[in-house]
Amino acid sequence: MDHLTLLLFISFIFFILFFIFQTRSSQSAAKNPPGPRPLPIIGNILELGTLPHQSLTNLSRTYGPVMTLKLGRTTTVVISSPQAAKEVLQKKDHAFSFRTIPDTIRAHDHDQISVVWMPPSSQWRVLKRICVTEVFSAHRLDSTQTRRQRKLQDLLNYVDEFCRNGEALDISDAVFTTVLNSISNTFFSMDLARYTSDKSQEFKDIIWGIMEEAGRPNVVDFFPVLRVLDPQRARSRMMSHFGKLFAFFDGLIEERLRFVGLEMEFKRFNDVLDSLMQLMMNENPQVSRPQVLHLFLDLFVAGIDTTSSTIEWAMAELLRNPEKMKIAKDELRQILREDEQLEEFHISRLPFLRAIVKETMRLHPSLPLLVPHKTEDEAELCGCFVVPKNAHVLINAWAIGRDPNVYDDPNQFKPERFMDNEIDFKGHDFELIPFGAGRRICPGLPLANRTVHIVLASLLYHYDWKNPNGFKAEDMDMSEMYGISLHKAIPLKAIPIKA
């Protein structure tokens, strides 16, 4: 074969391969979920806005419940229906159970050790099992209930002061301190703040800082080549936030280790820290000290932030809907004898209160886009779409909760909608997934479930509430502030009146 013939043959082969590649690429692109046309280089970044869960909800009305966006160099698929969410989180969760890692989460290598962010692996399964059996088991939570009960009484004592003075209570701050101390007593057998101290605000600033940095748009996440520069200094700020909490947790471990030689003393706390340290100090340790530190960071930050914000949103909705508050208060009075103490076991006998919590989580999910997922390989979705390899996958729980095809009057606060059905937020009903579902469901759900209900019930049972300064209920500002979690932009204040 002469050189000319060989050149023609090679050119023909390259032409055929190029044609096949282009055809396959076109076919693959045709199967990608629809979405808005991206701009050069930046893609659809500008369409996210400051409240991305709302922006993505509006886009889904045009492009459907499964849509594609280009955010810089990354392909992002957004899920906005229960059916598609079920396929991602349950039916095909093996394909979608990896995590998209925001650059800020790489601070202190948290993404490599965190039970929330690390990929599904043997190490992740060990940490998840520890969460289920040692941290959030029914036995563990029952054994620490009296500590949480004492924190409730502290809250009531604090609110009583505002009753006597006729002053407006900052519900946001009061609830945050209560949840902070409730969780710290469950984990560490200690209070971390007083209602009138700066310590509570210090923890609040750190925790909100972490949630804000994890959710705030960061140019590095859209253009990974800039990672080494950290141009917005976001990872640097996260290093500081993480470092403060790691130093605090490590100090608690060091202090507890002083009791190691005194077995009776070491076991006397009977809290989560005791359990994890015993696992850490076994002859064949199941968990390392760094893993304990990172596990506490995950559970402490997410548990306090999401639980306290849910209670605040619930109180805000009830102040806007006083007729719903009255139903809840009447229900509480029916099941409790005079001077009987409200306890966690009463919650199962309060269907309307539970409906209020579900309705709050529907309208105001703590993580409106959940924790982001990622595909390791190309995956088929809904029988007609192909999600590319390494695509970011966002589940818009906020959009699902406000979908008119799922709920009647979706923007109205109507707890009674949950009185006639069995829909719950524990991962089986994809119409309501504030904690996610499937293998990556939030491990802290059992404690959050108890804490939200009992704190809310206590505030309703012991007090009547009115808006300060003569504000009308319908005029209350319900605007949102977005980090990775969803907060009320203007903290809630109300005047308590002894019931």
Side-chain angles (χ1 to χ4, degrees), residues 165-349:
N165 298 327
E167 296 175 348
L169 172 73
D170 188 322
I171 293 177
S172 175
D173 282 346
V175 167
F176 181 89
T177 301
T178 301
V179 174
L180 172 69
N181 285 336
S182 178
I183 289 180
S184 66
N185 271 271
T186 301
F187 287 0
F188 312 124
S189 303
M190 64 184 297
D191 288 349
L192 295 185
R194 296 190 304 273
Y195 289 99
T196 55
S197 73
D198 294 333
K199 202 68 177 176
S200 179
Q201 188 61 45
E202 181 182 336
F203 275 109
K204 194 173 188 178
D205 290 343
I206 293 172
I207 290 171
W208 172 243
I210 289 172
M211 303 303 274
E212 189 175 29
E213 296 298 347
R216 175 188 290 160
N218 184 356
V219 66
V220 173
D221 295 326
F222 305 135
F223 302 99
V225 69
L226 299 175
R227 184 174 297 158
V228 68
L229 301 176
D230 189 22
Q232 293 173 242
R233 309 307 299 159
R235 193 181 339 113
S236 177
R237 289 190 294 273
M238 191 71 103
M239 287 283 290
S240 175
H241 294 321
F242 281 0
K244 291 174 182 176
L245 289 184
F246 284 144
F248 171 69
F249 298 144
D250 201 51
L252 295 179
I253 291 175
E254 196 63 38
E255 183 177 347
R256 195 69 62 90
L257 281 172
R258 296 172 191 168
F259 296 106
V260 170
L262 304 171
E263 187 173 343
M264 292 298 293
E265 288 292 320
F266 181 68
K267 290 185 177 180
R268 72 180 176 90
F269 295 100
N270 192 31
D271 55 16
V272 171
L273 180 56
D274 266 7
S275 296
L276 295 184
M277 288 186 63
Q278 287 169 11
L279 294 175
M280 186 177 78
M281 294 164 57
N282 284 342
E283 187 174 341
N284 296 308
Q286 298 181 43
V287 64
S288 66
R289 187 162 175 167
Q291 286 175 325
V292 171
L293 293 176
H294 286 264
L295 183 60
F296 275 137
L297 177 66
D298 283 335
L299 304 181
F300 190 77
V301 171
I304 293 170
D305 180 82
T306 59
T307 302
S308 58
S309 65
T310 297
I311 297 167
E312 183 183 8
W313 280 117
M315 285 296 294
E317 289 289 0
L318 290 171
L319 279 162
R320 291 179 76 217
N321 297 271
E323 72 283 0
K324 313 297 184 189
M325 183 184 291
K326 183 178 184 305
I327 296 172
K329 291 173 72 67
D330 290 344
E331 181 182 65
L332 281 159
R333 293 191 183 102
Q334 288 171 9
I335 71 149
L336 288 170
R337 298 186 301 273
E338 188 174 353
D339 296 327
E340 183 181 5
Q341 186 178 31
L342 181 65
E343 297 187 47
E344 290 176 358
F345 75 85
H346 287 117
I347 301 305
S348 63
R349 297 164 54 192

Side-chain angles (χ1 to χ4, degrees), residues 30 36 76 91 119 121 132 146 151 160 186-187 205 313 419 455 475:
T76 300
K91 292 181 179 178
S121 61
V132 172
T146 55
K151 299 308 104 186
D160 280 347
T186 301
F187 287 0
D205 290 343
W313 280 117
M419 296 291 286
V455 174
D475 294 334

Side-chain angles (χ1 to χ4, degrees), residues 63 93 126 133 141 205 259 326 394 438:
Y63 298 101
D93 68 336
V126 168
T133 60
L141 296 182
D205 290 343
F259 296 106
K326 183 178 184 305
L394 299 176

